[in-house]
Amino acid sequence: FYVHDDRGFYKCFSTQKAGDAITFTMETERLSFSEAVEKLARDYGLELPKSSAEDVQQYKRRNTLLDWVEKACAFFEEQLRGPGGQEAREYLEKRGFTREAWTRHRMGFAPNAWRGLSDFLTKQGATIEELIEAGLLVEPEEKGKQPWDRFRNRVIFPIADQGGKIIAFGARTLEPDGKPKYLNSSDSPLFHKGRTLYRYGPAREALAPLKEGPLSRGLIVTEGYVDAISLAEAGIGTAVAPLGTALTEEQLELLWRAGPEPILCFDGDAAGIRAAWRSCDRALPLIAPGRTLYFVLLPDGMDPDDV
């Protein structure tokens, strides 16, 4: 393997592959061309050229929303470790997640307050409109009412984009009869649940060095974020999860971009079997050479976390 610094390209004599920094990033991290360009620009502090004033405005708006979501993530992390996070800590420990795992996956806790996060972020300069747009607050339908925090008394699982930036949250209720049990951020300019996979970036990075064996051929898809985290903590870092919906065509494309043979491992109950069939139906029209699916069927009543 040789790098020609002066000419700006590399040559790998074992694979006969060659290219520049963009090609190398695409190969080693399994990124598309545009993703590789964005990653390199971000890593080295370069701003990509914008084609119009409107694009510049949208870019700045997106960065503002990303900043508030990142600050919300830090707020949730701090709450988990504070006095009010006792029940959330007990829940995570009961699920087998260590404090190191909390940090690795940036888990947090949303306190049982209607405007705890809202007050925290507005004191730092956020506007209510920005927080609603970012999916952090719920805007009431009834006029005259104040918006409230979307997440209350829930364990928080941050959702990142392919570049590692936090764009949304998944949350599990701590109330025994709380509905819904799992709640995601609403769709926003940053986040669309049908086009996002939980842990996609880290899973793709974990897949890149795997050169042989069935796990080297694609990502593992579970039903929920807890399952994906459990697999990662057990040493299987290629696990991802959709966000409360059946696999979409966009999510299938993400899976095939990472590897040709993703493995779907849903829960071993009737709902899990139905989810597998739905995924099969949706994938069949898209199947092609180098684009297929494998299925793991678990014993009845077990999920990947149990295994």
Side-chain angles (χ1 to χ4, degrees), residues 30 203 205-218 235-238:
R30 303 196 183 203
E205 288 179 16
L207 181 65
L210 299 180
K211 301 304 180 188
E212 57 186 22
L215 297 188
S216 68
R217 303 286 294 161
I236 304 174
T238 57

Side-chain angles (χ1 to χ4, degrees), residues 200 249 251-262 282-284 286-288 290-293:
Y200 184 68
E249 285 85 354
Q251 289 168 331
L252 286 166
E253 291 294 339
L254 288 174
L255 293 171
W256 282 321
R257 189 185 301 171
E261 297 169 1
R282 188 156 283 175
L284 274 172
L286 308 173
I287 294 292
R291 290 158 59 102
T292 188
L293 295 177

Side-chain angles (χ1 to χ4, degrees), residues 161-236:
D161 65 11
Q162 296 175 38
K165 290 185 179 295
I166 306 302
I167 56 173
F169 301 98
R172 201 252 188 218
T173 183
L174 288 173
E175 298 170 13
D177 300 318
K179 301 291 182 185
K181 185 176 180 181
Y182 288 96
L183 177 67
N184 294 321
S185 293
S186 59
D187 286 351
S188 73
L190 305 178
F191 170 67
H192 190 292
K193 63 183 176 183
R195 300 176 193 149
T196 308
L197 289 168
Y198 178 71
R199 289 200 75 254
Y200 184 68
R204 196 160 60 171
E205 288 179 16
L207 181 65
L210 299 180
K211 301 304 180 188
E212 57 186 22
L215 297 188
S216 68
R217 303 286 294 161
L219 302 178
I220 299 173
V221 186
T222 67
E223 283 189 66
Y225 8 81
V226 172
D227 293 313
I229 294 171
S230 293
L231 284 176
E233 289 299 303
I236 304 174

Side-chain angles (χ1 to χ4, degrees), residues 69-70 72-74 76-77 80 101-109 151 155-161 164-172 183-185 191 196-200 202 225 229 243:
V69 174
E70 171 58 36
C73 186
F76 292 140
E77 288 181 284
L80 176 63
W102 306 351
T103 301
R104 272 191 292 274
H105 303 279
R106 300 197 66 183
M107 299 179 198
F109 168 64
F151 304 112
V155 178
I156 297 293
F157 301 94
I159 300 166
D161 65 11
K165 290 185 179 295
I166 306 302
I167 56 173
F169 301 98
R172 201 252 188 218
L183 177 67
N184 294 321
S185 293
F191 170 67
T196 308
L197 289 168
Y198 178 71
R199 289 200 75 254
Y200 184 68
Y225 8 81
I229 294 171
L243 299 159

Side-chain angles (χ1 to χ4, degrees), residues 19-38:
D20 56 17
I22 296 172
T23 314
F24 183 78
T25 306
M26 290 171 65
E27 287 283 345
T28 56
E29 303 197 27
R30 303 196 183 203
L31 301 177
S32 66
F33 177 82
S34 59
E35 290 169 346
V37 171
E38 289 176 6

